[in-house]
Each structure stands twice: as structure tokens, then as C-alpha cells.
């Protein structure tokens, strides 16, 4: 790769890997899947670096999010989120009953959030999570392939569906 | 929603605020949206915090990534420039086994330097490519042999491998300049209109020539003996430098701009690279035929791999391309034969005509379509 040595590539990897994974994990609802996509983004950077790479972090984030979107779309709305929702057990390290209760509580909430995200289409899910992560309407529009003017409407609908699904799930226990 | 997110232009915002002062139902709607937004943000924040407990270890991930990079090989490359290098370099990278294979395969990759050009003497211009199947089992087997003979380290003492790049990469402005750089007129492809790749999408760049060289060390024969070779290299080749020279490469990259979305059967990009024939350069007075047979006889090579390597016809003029996953095969392009393959929705095609080498790659394109484009370059 022109201009990027193995050592500086490794440094880029160290600098961005974990934060990209966290962002993608929220998006995809699955840490393992997130890692997979982030690895793919680095492969892309390695194999087809852009002519001008002024902000590698931003470039990687954009590519990773696009990859995640493609994958979510490909796997359909009942994709990996739901398939793995049941396996998202948090680490059990809480010995006291109060702590245990709190952990349980958190798990229920996380699972409800996961289920609610899964109920959205890939497009709505992405718009919602990206907005929450601080993306502008223009950036969201570029990822999901709609006009920037439509993003507000999509978000309003997505957040409503999400909240209803979440409350329904959380209320069921 | 755009108002809440601060995404309205100043005039739109003022207009909306004026309206809100007079319209209670819109105020109520806005309040509800805001409450929902706050609630969703809280839920997502909890959710994120929970997921963030997952540790992402970048050191372990780096190792996985490196394995993956190796595994994918050049066929997945979206970047011709990188693809070529990777194809030629792959064997050199990393494992000693791959180095051993390359060594023998390229018998190869012996070569010289431009600076030392005065001493050369025998220059073999590459006229064709041949895919040489190399399986994972082959590599494992070579590795095992090397381990048993304690040879992984000593292999490095057989010869020194160096890469020298001449000049640096740069952008090029046009077909005309690209032609001047290579010293010949370049054929412009006819891209079928349904692909939606327009001539104005073309960007040009140049990547410099490089030379992969191999110098036999004084200890060469001790190494060969340690590896079980019964034959020894003639003293005359000691310290001699062999090289493969890869001339500078011009690339034309058609990349669809973001606003021009690709249809289901349309490529996002198509890349064409041109370069003059690579050369194998061998010092004077060296019997390459003999050298090759000695290397091919190395007992560390699995016998079927040896046969495949030995079967390379006209090997002085043939560049062996390690075909790790068997995805490459011969493709007829007009009156010439190239190598091509498809994998993961990407196609690669490489061929030679009149001493000019061509490399095409693209996504969302069949091998047939790629071949038709290749044929349009006649």
C-alpha cells in the first residue's frame, strides 16, 4: 500500500480497532459480528486505500458502517440480532443478591433493546443508532442511501417503533 | 425531528419556531417527539454501556487479521496495484515455507539490479503466466520438513532477498500521459453502457518499478546439504545476484461516485493496469537450467508440487503465479491466453499482448464480461 508501512498500519489498527468494534457492536447487536466487520474494513484499507487518506479513523468508520449496513440488509431484519439475542448473557460476577438483581435487570433491558432494534428494518435501525452515535443527517443519508431531507421522517418513525417495541418487551416480564 | 436534532437551516428553524408559538398541536407533537428521543437515547446509552463491557483485544485481533489477510490472497484485491504486488510478493512474505516455494517456483525469482545491469547478461522477458497450484498441505509439508531439519532459519542463509523500489507512486492526469509514462500508446477499453461506468470516472496513477532480488550467500551449499540436497551449487554462483524486475505500472481506476449508485449488476469499480513485461535477470556465466534442477530436487518439496513446478513450460519466459486456492484458470482473450478467476463477487484477469501486460479487476462483473472488455482492448 503506497505510503503506509506495515508498522504504521499496525499503529492504525491499535488506535482504532477497539473503538470501531464498540460502535459496530451497538449497530449490529453482536460483538463477534462487529469484530468481523471491523476486520473487513481494515482489509479494505489495506487492499484499496483511498488516494487521499487524511483521516484514517473517519474513513474506517465510514467503511465499517457501510459494511455493517450491507450485512444487516443481506441477512434480513430477522438477522443476527435476534438469532443471538438470547446468547447475550452479561458476565456474571455479581455475588450479592442486590447486585445479582441489578445485573438481571440490566440484562432484561439490554435484551429488550436488542429485540426492539431487531424489530426495525436495517435502514431504520442504522439511522437510529447512527444518529445516537452523533452522525449528521447528511452522513446518515449517505449510508442508507436516501435524501438528507428524508432522514428526519425516518428517524421519527424509527424512534417511535423502537420505543414501543422496547416497552412492550420490557413490560412483558 | 430535524428541528430537535439541530439539522434545520437557520431560516427554516425561525419559521418553525414562529409557527410553534401559534400552534398548540404542533407544540404537543414536538414535546412528544422530544420525550421519545430522550427515552430512546437513555435506552441506547444503557445498551451501549452493557455492550462496551465486552473487551475488544486489539493484539489478538491483529493476529487474526494478519491470518485473514494472508488467506484472502490477491484475488480479493480491489486494488490492482496492490493485487499485482501481493501476487508477486505473497510467497516472499512471512513464512519460510512460502519463501522456499517461491524460490523454487520462481527458480526463480533470481535476479538483479538495474545498477548492476552491466554484469548481467541474460535477461529473460516474461511472455506468459502460469498458475501453479500450491495447496495449504504443500506449505504445511514444506514447513514440517524445514522444522525437522532445523532449516527454517538456515533457509535465510541460502540467500538474501531484497526489494528495491525505483521512484515513487504518483498521480497521472490522462490516457495520453499514461501512454507517455509507459512509452507506448495504451488501448482505451470499450466499457459496455449498461455497466454505467463513464469515462469521466477514470482516475490514473502510477506505481513505480521494483526489483525483487536474491543473492546466494557463501554458505549456500551448507544450507542445501542441511536441507538434504544431494547436489551442490557451482562455486561460480556464490555471491551472485538474481532478480525479477517488475516495471512501473500505470493504473486506470473507474470508480463510481457516491451519488451514482450501482445497480444490482453494475460494478462499483473497474480497474485496469498496464505494465511492460517483467524480467528475470541472471548473472553471466550461470547455468540457470542447472540451478533450477538443483532447487527443484530439494527434498523439502512435496513431490507433486515439484512436478507441478517442473512442468512449467518455457520457464525462463514464464512467470509462475502461486495459485493458493485454485481459483485461477486459463482464459482465452481474442488471440491470446490469460489467467483469470472470480471469487467473492470480484473478478481478476491478467493477460499479455505485444509485450504489454494487462491486469483487470472489478466487482459485480462476470468473467465473461471481463473477458469481453479485455478483448475490446485489441
Amino acid at each position: 500500500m503506497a505510503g503506509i508501512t506495515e508498522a504504521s498500519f499496525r499503529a492504525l489498527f491499535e488506535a482504532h480497532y477497539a473503538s470501531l468494534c464498540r460502535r459496530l457492536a451497538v449497530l449490529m447487536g453482536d460483538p463477534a459480528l462487529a469484530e468481523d466487520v471491523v476486520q473487513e474494513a481494515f482489509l479494505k484499507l489495506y487492499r484499496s486505500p483511498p488516494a487521499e487518506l487524511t483521516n484514517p479513523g473517519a474513513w474506517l468508520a465510514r467503511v465499517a458502517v457501510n459494511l455493517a449496513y450491507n450485512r444487516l440488509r443481506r441477512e434480513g431484519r430477522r438477522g443476527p440480532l435476534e438469532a443471538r439475542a438470547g446468547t447475550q448473557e452479561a458476565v456474571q460476577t455479581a455475588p450479592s443478591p442486590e447486585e445479582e438483581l441489578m445485573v438481571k435487570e440490566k440484562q432484561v433491558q439490554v435484551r429488550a433493546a436488542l429485540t426492539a432494534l431487531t424489530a426495525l428494518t436495517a435502514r431504520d435501525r442504522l439511522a437510529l443508532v447512527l444518529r445516537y452515535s452523533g452522525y449528521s443527517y447528511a452522513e446518515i443519508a449517505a449510508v442508507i442511501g436516501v435524501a438528507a431531507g428524508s432522514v428526519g421522517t425516518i428517524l421519527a418513525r424509527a424512534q417511535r417503533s423502537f420505543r414501543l417495541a422496547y416497552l412492550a418487551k420490557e413490560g412483558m416480564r | 425531528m430535524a428541528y430537535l436534532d439541530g439539522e434545520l437551516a437557520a431560516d427554516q428553524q425561525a419559521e418553525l419556531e414562529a409557527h410553534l408559538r401559534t400552534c398548540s398541536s404542533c407544540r404537543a407533537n414536538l414535546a412528544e417527539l422530544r420525550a421519545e428521543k430522550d427515552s430512546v437515547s437513555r435506552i441506547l446509552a444503557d445498551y451501549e454501556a452493557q455492550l462496551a463491557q465486552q473487551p475488544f483485544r486489539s493484539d489478538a485481533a491483529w493476529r487474526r487479521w494478519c491470518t485473514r489477510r494472508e488467506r484472502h490472497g490477491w484475488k480479493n484485491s480491489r486494488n490492482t496495484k496492490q493485487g499485482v504486488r501481493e501476487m508477486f510478493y505473497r510467497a516472499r512474505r512471512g513464512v519460510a515455507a512460502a519463501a522456499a516455494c517461491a524460490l523454487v517456483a520462481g527458480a526463480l525469482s533470481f535476479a538483479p539490479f538495474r545498477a548492476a545491469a552491466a554484469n548481467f547478461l541474460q535477461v529473460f522477458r516474461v511472455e506468459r503466466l502460469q498458475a501453479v497450484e500450491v495447496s495449504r498441505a504443500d506449505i504445511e509439508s514444506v514447513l514440517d520438513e524445514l522444522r525437522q531439519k532445523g532449516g527454517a532459519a538456515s533457509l535465510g542463509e541460502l540467500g538474501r532477498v531484497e526489494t528495491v523500489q525505483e521512484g515513487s507512486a504518483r498521480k497521472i492526469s490522462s490516457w495520453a500521459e499514461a501512454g507517455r509514462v509507459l512509452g507506448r500508446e495504451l488501448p482505451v477499453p470499450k466499457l459496455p453502457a449498461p455497466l454505467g461506468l463513464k469515462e469521466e470516472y477514470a482516475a490514473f496513477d502510477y506505481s513505480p518499478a521494483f526489483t525483487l532480488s536474491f543473492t546466494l550467500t557463501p554458505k549456500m551449499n551448507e544450507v542445501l546439504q542441511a536441507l538434504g540436497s544431494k547436489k551442490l551449487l557451482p562455486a561460480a554462483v556464490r555471491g551472485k545476484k538474481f532478480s525479477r524486475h517488475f516495471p512501473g505500472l500505470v493504473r486506470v481506476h473507474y470508480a463510481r461516485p457516491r451519488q451514482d449508485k450501482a445497480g444490482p449488476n453494475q460494478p462499483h469499480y473497474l480497474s485496469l493496469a498496464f505494465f511492460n513485461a517483467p524480467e528475470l535477470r541472471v548473472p553471466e556465466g550461470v547455468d540457470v537450467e542447472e540451478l533450477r534442477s538443483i532447487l527443484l530436487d530439494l527434498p523439502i518439496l512435496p513431490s507433486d508440487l515439484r512436478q507441478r513446478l517442473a512442468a512449467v513450460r518455457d520457464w525462463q519466459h514464464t512467470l509462475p503465479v502461486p495459485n493458493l486456492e485454485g481459483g485461477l484458470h486459463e482464459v482465452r482473450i481474442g488471440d491470446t491466453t490469460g489467467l483469470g478467476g472470480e471469487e467473492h463477487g470480484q473478478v481478476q484477469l491478467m493477460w499479455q499482448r505485444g509485450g504489454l501486460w494487462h491486469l483487470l479487476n472489478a466487482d459485480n462483473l462476470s468473467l465473461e464480461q471481463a473477458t469481453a472488455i479485455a478483448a475490446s482492448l485489441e
Side-chain angles (χ1 to χ4, degrees):
Chain A
M1 165 160 45
I4 304 191
T5 62
E6 182 85 0
S8 62
F9 199 89
R10 172 90 200 249
L12 274 179
F13 196 91
E14 295 286 344
H16 300 291
Y17 186 77
S19 67
L20 282 170
C21 286
R22 277 193 290 277
R23 182 183 300 194
L24 272 278
V26 176
L27 211 56
M28 309 191 77
D30 180 340
L33 210 55
E35 287 204 72
D36 198 47
V37 167
V38 171
Q39 293 230 341
E40 208 176 321
F42 276 101
L43 272 183
K44 268 198 196 301
L45 177 62
Y46 182 77
R47 301 198 185 290
S48 43
E52 306 265 323
L53 190 62
T54 45
N55 185 346
W59 188 91
L60 282 165
R62 187 162 53 72
V63 168
V65 164
N66 278 316
L67 288 171
Y69 183 42
N70 287 339
R71 205 176 284 202
L72 289 176
R73 251 190 326 195
R74 205 165 55 226
E75 291 172 4
R77 58 191 293 174
R78 306 225 154 263
L81 270 177
E82 183 161 70
R84 291 165 211 232
T87 67
Q88 287 283 321
E89 297 298 334
V91 195
Q92 297 278 5
T93 51
S96 86
E98 291 82 13
E99 279 173 334
E100 207 160 285
L101 200 67
M102 274 181 57
V103 169
K104 282 248 161 56
E105 181 80 3
K106 279 277 178 242
Q107 282 179 5
V108 170
Q109 289 171 359
V110 166
R111 212 163 303 156
L114 207 48
T115 310
L117 280 176
T118 313
L120 301 179
T121 62
R123 190 189 72 177
D124 288 4
R125 180 196 309 174
L126 228 82
L128 192 64
V129 176
L130 289 180
R131 178 63 215 168
Y132 167 77
S133 308
Y135 277 56
S136 73
Y137 280 22
E139 288 166 329
I140 296 171
V143 174
I144 62 178
V146 301
S150 322
V151 173
T153 316
I154 290 173
L155 280 173
R157 197 177 48 223
Q159 79 175 24
R160 179 154 304 173
S161 321
F162 173 79
R163 188 159 167 274
L164 290 175
Y166 177 84
L167 292 176
K169 180 80 185 173
E170 214 218 10
M172 268 175 7
R173 51 197 164 121
Chain B
M1 200 68 215
Y3 172 71
L4 285 179
D5 285 334
E7 287 270 354
L8 285 185
D11 54 337
Q12 291 172 307
Q13 187 172 336
E15 197 179 318
L16 182 72
E17 281 167 357
H19 174 72
L20 284 171
R21 279 192 286 278
T22 63
C23 176
S24 62
S25 94
C26 281
R27 275 201 305 276
N29 272 339
L30 183 67
E32 192 181 338
L33 269 179
R34 181 176 281 138
E36 273 174 358
K37 180 175 144 88
D38 291 346
S39 151
V40 167
S41 293
R42 270 196 308 275
I43 299 167
L44 287 176
D46 276 352
Y47 169 65
E48 184 181 32
Q50 198 70 15
L51 282 175
Q53 291 179 2
Q54 175 88 15
F56 293 107
R57 298 279 309 275
S58 63
D59 46 353
W62 171 256
R63 287 193 295 276
R64 281 202 308 280
W65 185 80
C66 288
T67 313
R68 198 162 157 174
R69 179 178 68 180
E70 298 287 332
R71 195 175 60 225
H72 280 58
W74 70 278
K75 278 171 289 177
N76 264 0
S77 172
R78 285 192 139 211
N79 181 320
T80 312
K81 192 165 64 182
Q82 185 63 21
V84 177
R85 255 166 212 247
E86 213 166 285
M87 189 163 74
F88 296 144
Y89 274 143
R90 181 159 64 174
R92 186 182 70 97
R93 252 201 333 240
V95 249
C101 292
L103 189 91
V104 178
L108 342 118
S109 304
F110 292 161
F113 270 163
R114 224 162 236 191
N119 306 332
F120 291 147
L121 343 107
Q122 306 175 57
V123 174
F124 301 106
R125 194 150 284 143
V126 175
E127 287 162 7
R128 62 188 66 80
L129 289 172
Q130 183 166 342
V132 175
E133 309 294 326
V134 180
S135 68
R136 231 147 258 298
D138 289 334
I139 291 187
E140 281 305 316
S141 154
V142 173
L143 266 183
D144 275 354
E145 286 288 326
L146 282 174
R147 266 194 292 269
Q148 282 170 20
K149 301 200 160 78
S154 66
L155 194 70
E157 294 173 31
L158 181 61
R160 273 196 322 280
V161 177
E162 290 172 280
T163 310
V164 172
Q165 181 168 309
E166 298 154 25
S168 51
R170 65 171 192 274
K171 289 200 184 305
I172 288 178
S173 61
S174 63
W175 280 104
E177 191 188 348
R180 280 196 299 279
V181 168
L182 289 190
R184 61 202 301 165
E185 197 176 332
L186 296 179
V188 179
K190 291 183 196 64
L191 300 176
L195 298 183
L197 290 171
K198 302 177 188 151
E199 193 55 36
E200 64 258 34
Y201 294 167
F204 301 81
D205 57 37
Y206 170 78
S207 43
F210 66 100
T211 300
L212 192 64
S213 74
F214 187 83
T215 308
L216 291 165
T217 67
K219 295 175 79 177
M220 62 185 187
N221 280 331
E222 292 163 48
V223 176
L224 287 180
Q225 280 175 320
L227 294 176
S229 176
K230 294 192 182 61
K231 297 189 211 159
L232 298 180
L233 293 169
V237 303
R238 189 167 292 158
K240 289 276 166 65
K241 193 176 260 182
F242 300 77
S243 63
R244 277 248 185 236
H245 175 74
F246 297 98
L249 176 152
V250 163
R251 182 177 73 137
V252 189
H253 192 69
Y254 295 88
R256 202 179 280 277
R258 188 173 276 282
Q259 61 273 20
D260 181 5
K261 291 267 169 210
N265 292 311
Q266 292 188 323
H268 295 90
Y269 76 97
L270 184 145
S271 230
L272 252 177
F274 303 92
F275 51 101
N276 290 310
E279 291 169 358
L280 170 66
R281 296 173 180 171
V282 176
E284 197 158 27
V286 171
D287 182 347
V288 267
E289 204 57 78
E290 180 189 4
L291 203 56
R292 180 171 191 257
S293 83
I294 292 172
L295 292 172
L296 280 179
D297 278 346
L298 275 180
I300 57 170
L301 287 181
S303 64
D304 46 348
L305 176 59
R306 173 178 305 122
Q307 281 163 15
R308 287 195 292 273
L309 290 170
V312 173
R313 305 156 299 223
D314 187 19
W315 62 273
Q316 293 95 327
H317 302 105
T318 300
L319 183 67
V321 178
N323 191 13
L324 246 185
E325 284 148 359
L328 291 176
H329 43 266
E330 293 196 347
V331 178
R332 198 73 203 153
I333 299 161
D335 56 358
T336 183
T337 303
L339 276 182
E342 286 174 272
E343 199 181 52
H344 304 309
Q346 307 206 12
V347 62
Q348 288 253 10
L349 196 56
M350 191 172 184
W351 73 103
Q352 185 264 132
R353 180 176 290 119
L356 181 66
W357 283 83
H358 309 68
L359 190 52
L360 181 157
N361 70 355
D363 67 346
N364 277 345
L365 196 70
S366 69
L367 192 53
E368 290 69 42
Q369 289 173 299
T371 309
I373 293 172
S376 80
L377 288 167
E378 280 195 62

